[in-house]
């Protein structure tokens, strides 16, 4: 495609189209489609200081392309939204919390959120910030919102896969003068667009399905408004939790297959969930029509994610099941092209039963994956 006069660019309306083209610079003759990683601690800077590229902790052209790409996926449309990438999901989460909150503020976190939250809570409390928690299910965070400065949502929640109503909670928070951040890790921007549902920040670990190969850590923050975005950018400069150019470039390269991976992986998750129906307890996947999360998820999500959770009767049974799987690696994390599963209770911290399994569907052939899961389930029952 060339940007010559009179030739209209085809609109990138479909997710697959948007994913393969996201963040690409204007074509330049004899240059690559996606320029390679720029390794630079400093840039030539004679005379007075002017941007865009001065010092490698502040800006990097490889981040710029990736940040445009993620912004286009999180908030498609003519106006680019501010996006900042970070060294990890936790760096992105911390950047929002610690740039927006001051001593004396109150923040509402999910009680069933990502497992590092108890540590985050300790740190916030040590800085004089009041931390309130309530479960994701049933929009229970509504009940503790009064006087809060920031509402933090994680939907679907990890690992319990409960879902809350982003629009309803965002309206309630804004009516009380609070900002709203949504952890969009599990859904990915193809599954859910929090800014369109009223959130001020969409924050995620790009380590998971967004990049999908289990080979890098990365995080991002997308902001609805320039003011909060400037504070997040300032925090990144202070803390220096910046992505390496190689990781940023690998992430951008991985975005080209996002729609393909999500389509296969999420279909596999639903197939595994359907195959497990009646064979396990506590089966959860927001895409199952009878899941407690399904009604709200179907209203605000466009895809339901690649994670399935369920319980086996005992820890020993769960360990035998994981051991018997051939196509599923026993590993933490989720969202990769190779299926993984783990007994979540082995970490401590999450309020889950001993036999609770978090299963992340990869991009294997559906029949192969379902057959492996059912075989391992049968073999482990003895
Ligand atoms: C993994 C994860 C994080 C943390 O991301 P890192 O890239 O590991 O720092 C935050 N939130 C959720 C929901 C996650 O799954």
């Amino acid at each position: 495609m060339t940007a010559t006069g009179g030739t209209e660019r085809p609109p990138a309306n479909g997710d697959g189209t948007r994913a393969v083209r996201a963040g690409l610079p204007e074509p330049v003759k004899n240059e690559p489609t996606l320029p390679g990683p720029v390794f630079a601690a400093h840039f030539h800077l004679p005379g007075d200081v002017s941007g865009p590229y001065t010092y490698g902790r502040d800006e990097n052209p490889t981040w710029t392309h990736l940040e445009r790409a993620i912004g286009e996926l999180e908030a498609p449309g003519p106006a680019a939204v501010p996006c900042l990438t970070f060294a990890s999901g936790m760096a992105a989460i911390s950047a929002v919390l610690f740039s927006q909150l001051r001593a004396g503020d109150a923040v509402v976190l999910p009680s069933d959120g990502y497992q590092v939250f108890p540590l985050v809570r300790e740190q916030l409390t040590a800085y004089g910030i009041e931390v309130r928690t309530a479960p994701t299910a049933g929009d229970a965070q509504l009940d503790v919102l009064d006087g809060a400065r920031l509402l933090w949502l994680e939907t679907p929640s990890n690992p319990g896969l409960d879902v809350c109503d982003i629009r309803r909670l965002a309206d309630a928070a804004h009516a009380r003068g609070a900002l709203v951040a949504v952890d969009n890790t599990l859904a990915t921007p193809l599954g859910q667009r929090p800014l369109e549902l009223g959130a001020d920040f969409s924050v995620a670990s790009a380590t998971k399905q967004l990049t999908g190969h289990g080979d890098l850590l990365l995080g991002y923050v997308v902001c609805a408004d320039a003011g909060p975005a400037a504070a997040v950018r300032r925090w990144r400069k202070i803390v220096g939790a910046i992505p390496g150019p190689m990781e940023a470039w690998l992430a951008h390269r991985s975005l080209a297959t996002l729609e393909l991976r999500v389509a296969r992986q999420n279909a596999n998750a639903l197939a595994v969930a359907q195959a497990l129906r009646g064979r396990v307890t506590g089966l959860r996947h927001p895409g199952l029509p009878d899941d407690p999360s399904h009604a709200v998820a179907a209203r605000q999500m466009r895809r339901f994610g690649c994670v399935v959770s369920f319980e086996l009767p005992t820890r020993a049974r769960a360990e035998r099941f994981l051991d018997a799987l051939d196509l599923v690696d026993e590993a933490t994390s989720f969202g990769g092209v190779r299926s993984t599963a783990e007994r979540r209770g082995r970490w401590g911290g999450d309020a889950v039963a001993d036999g609770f399994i978090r299963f992340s569907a990869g991009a294997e052939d559906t029949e192969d994956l379902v057959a492996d899961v059912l075989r391992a389930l049968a073999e482990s029952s003895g």
Side-chain angles (χ1 to χ4, degrees), residues 119-353:
L119 290 178
V120 172
R121 178 186 188 142
E122 250 175 58
Q123 196 60 50
L124 289 166
T125 307
Y127 288 156
I129 295 158
E130 181 199 343
V131 179
R132 305 175 192 161
T133 61
T136 299
D139 300 342
Q141 288 170 283
L142 272 180
D143 300 338
V144 289
L145 254 185
D146 278 344
R149 165 90 187 118
L150 178 69
L151 169 63
W152 192 278
L153 307 177
E154 183 179 309
T155 178
S157 62
N158 168 29
L161 302 181
D162 279 317
V163 164
C164 60
D165 185 332
I166 298 174
R167 168 69 65 192
R168 179 173 178 228
L169 283 151
D171 286 350
H174 290 155
R176 291 163 174 82
L179 291 166
V180 180
V182 176
D183 186 324
N184 205 29
T185 302
L186 204 140
T188 84
L190 294 197
Q192 176 170 277
R193 301 203 288 246
L195 264 44
E196 292 176 0
L197 298 165
D200 301 286
F201 305 94
S202 181
V203 186
S205 168
T207 310
K208 313 290 169 57
Q209 199 178 20
L210 190 81
T211 59
H213 292 70
D215 53 9
L216 61 87
L217 279 97
L218 198 91
Y220 69 84
V221 178
V222 174
C223 309
D225 296 309
V232 173
R233 181 180 297 279
R234 180 175 171 277
W235 178 263
R236 183 175 69 177
K237 182 183 174 80
I238 294 170
V239 172
I242 55 168
M246 191 67 198
E247 280 77 3
W249 181 80
L250 274 172
H252 200 160
R253 186 184 195 272
S254 304
L255 287 186
T257 55
L258 178 62
E259 194 273 340
L260 291 168
R261 288 184 283 108
V262 162
R264 171 67 71 86
Q265 290 180 243
N266 293 14
N268 279 353
L270 186 60
V272 166
Q274 278 161 344
L276 288 174
R277 200 195 280 280
R279 300 176 202 263
V280 296
T281 56
L283 178 65
R284 296 297 305 268
H285 178 67
L288 287 172
D290 55 352
D291 189 277
S293 292
H294 185 70
V296 180
R299 274 206 307 278
Q300 71 187 12
M301 298 181 75
R302 302 161 67 238
R303 297 173 171 82
F304 299 116
C306 65
V307 180
V308 179
S309 62
F310 56 94
E311 285 169 27
L312 295 174
T314 62
R315 169 181 174 159
R317 171 80 198 277
E319 285 171 348
R320 286 202 303 277
F321 167 71
L322 293 169
D323 202 41
L325 290 162
D326 283 334
L327 299 179
V328 182
D329 295 330
E330 186 174 351
T332 194
S333 199
F334 61 86
V337 289
R338 297 169 201 93
S339 290
T340 58
E342 72 171 334
R343 197 179 65 79
R344 195 62 187 166
R346 65 182 176 162
W347 293 91
D350 293 319
V352 293

